[in-house]
Amino acid sequence: MNYYIIAGEASGDLHASNLMKALKVEDTDAHFRFWGGDLMQAQGGELVKHYRETAFMGFVTVLKNLGKIRANFKLCEKDLLSYQPDVLILVDYPGFNLRMAKFARKHGIRVHYYISPKIWAWKEGRVKQIKVNVDRMFTIFPFETEFYKKHNYPVSFGGNPLLDAIENRPNKEESFADFTAKNQLSDLPIIALLAGSRKQEIERILPVMLDTISSFPDHQFVVAAAPSIDKAFYANIVGDRKVAFVYGQTYDLLQQSKAALVTSGTATLETALLRIPQVVCYLTGGGKLLYAIGKRLLHVKYISLVNLVMDQLIVKELIQQYCNPKDISEELTLILDNMEYRNKMLHNYQLLHEKLGGAGASARFAKMIYEDLQVHCAGSISKV
């Protein structure tokens, strides 16, 4: 089979690469052409565009790059028609991928969506586009399945591929001593700081996290630095505070940490799956007014995936005015020193792991995708 895959960011590159690896097991004649990154490229096939050239985030950035965005659409449309794949597999990245779904559908190309866009949080109206233009939707969260069920659109849940990424991570057996020696850290217990990967997000949240350092003199604070952000940017924020940095080692850092301060998003789920107690910290830009508007537009009770999946408050979410050094320090003290509180969170992490379906999601999704294509191709031949 010929597979055309579009992933527009680092997380998509990770999950798509694991899917490609699993597809090669199911389909020994698999051929890939894709938009993605280094991890997908390592699986073989032709890379059309790297996500570094297509990731435009934020209203102003999008406006400045409208010409490039239009050119990318044209290139992708032309390339898709030239390749004529058996299936187009879209990985999240809704702004680009929903348009490509419509284009592919118009030209008779089968469309699979792997990792649903977060329309359950906002822009729920996009479900109409998906029902018209997507042949199969594969979901990675149980609550997503319920969301689509509500809209009378059948989907397939196969578990969460993050479990595979974490299970197969490198340095899984690395000791605390080896990790600290490698990164020139002290032997004090570590508190990890995951302040996001975008500059605006880091500028808002990291300073607040750093203001808690003085309350925990018996711990060392270590930032999981985003590979795309240079050291000078972080240095300007940190000033003379005593904090260390590690680049490209987020999982390694977390597994050696006693606790973590984490922004909302996938990082909260990764932290939970690595069994590290956490405090979720989040600040939006634009102050109280913009936050109030955003809250009205969102259709979810929680901002962290941990709480969304479990549909209850498993980890504390400190948002806006509650995201301050005093409240963060109080919650951090609880998860460090109160063993009953800490163990309850860890117990709920185990339930979360079970609810997400266990390891092997990439293989399950690959099997579903390949079997669907076999049925579809057989049906197409019988009609001829």
Side-chain angles (χ1 to χ4, degrees), residues 188-194 212-213 216 218-224 243-244 253 256-261 332 336:
L188 290 173
I190 294 172
I191 295 173
L193 304 182
L194 279 64
T212 64
I213 291 176
F216 301 90
D218 297 330
H219 293 76
Q220 59 181 321
F221 285 70
V222 184
V223 177
V243 64
L253 169 62
Q256 304 300 344
S257 299
K258 192 79 179 291
L261 304 182
L332 187 54
L336 287 172

Side-chain angles (χ1 to χ4, degrees), residues 91-250:
V91 185
D92 201 355
Y93 198 44
F96 192 92
N97 278 340
L98 285 176
R99 174 167 167 172
M100 290 310 304
K102 183 178 181 179
F103 179 84
R105 183 76 167 190
K106 180 181 175 182
H107 290 88
I109 297 171
R110 193 158 184 80
V111 179
H112 286 180
Y113 218 123
Y114 176 56
I115 303 183
S116 169
K118 298 173 182 62
I119 61 171
W120 37 265
W122 74 309
K123 294 190 176 180
E124 188 171 342
R126 282 179 165 178
V127 72
K128 295 176 183 177
Q129 294 175 251
I130 288 172
K131 291 173 75 171
V132 171
N133 298 318
V134 177
D135 295 288
R136 290 287 300 274
M137 172 65 74
F138 300 95
T139 57
I140 63 173
F141 294 113
F143 65 80
E144 289 179 328
T145 304
E146 291 303 312
F147 168 83
Y148 283 109
K149 187 177 179 180
K150 181 183 74 174
H151 287 280
N152 299 311
Y153 182 62
V155 298
S156 303
F157 173 71
N160 196 294
L162 261 184
L163 276 73
D164 294 335
I166 288 173
E167 179 66 26
N168 300 320
R169 68 189 184 276
N171 304 321
K172 187 178 176 182
E173 305 303 324
E174 185 175 47
S175 68
F176 180 83
D178 287 342
F179 175 77
T180 52
K182 179 177 69 177
N183 291 287
Q184 298 179 306
L185 303 173
S186 77
D187 59 358
L188 290 173
I190 294 172
I191 295 173
L193 304 182
L194 279 64
S197 59
R198 302 185 190 111
K199 285 187 174 181
Q200 287 181 324
E201 188 175 46
I202 296 167
E203 284 176 324
R204 285 197 303 269
I205 297 170
L206 185 55
V208 183
M209 291 179 170
L210 294 173
D211 283 343
T212 64
I213 291 176
S214 60
S215 300
F216 301 90
D218 297 330
H219 293 76
Q220 59 181 321
F221 285 70
V222 184
V223 177
S228 59
I229 308 294
D230 59 77
K231 293 181 180 179
F233 176 81
Y234 281 112
N236 188 51
I237 295 174
V238 171
D240 59 0
R241 296 181 182 94
K242 190 176 180 181
V243 64
F245 292 85
V246 297
Y247 279 83
Q249 301 178 67
T250 300

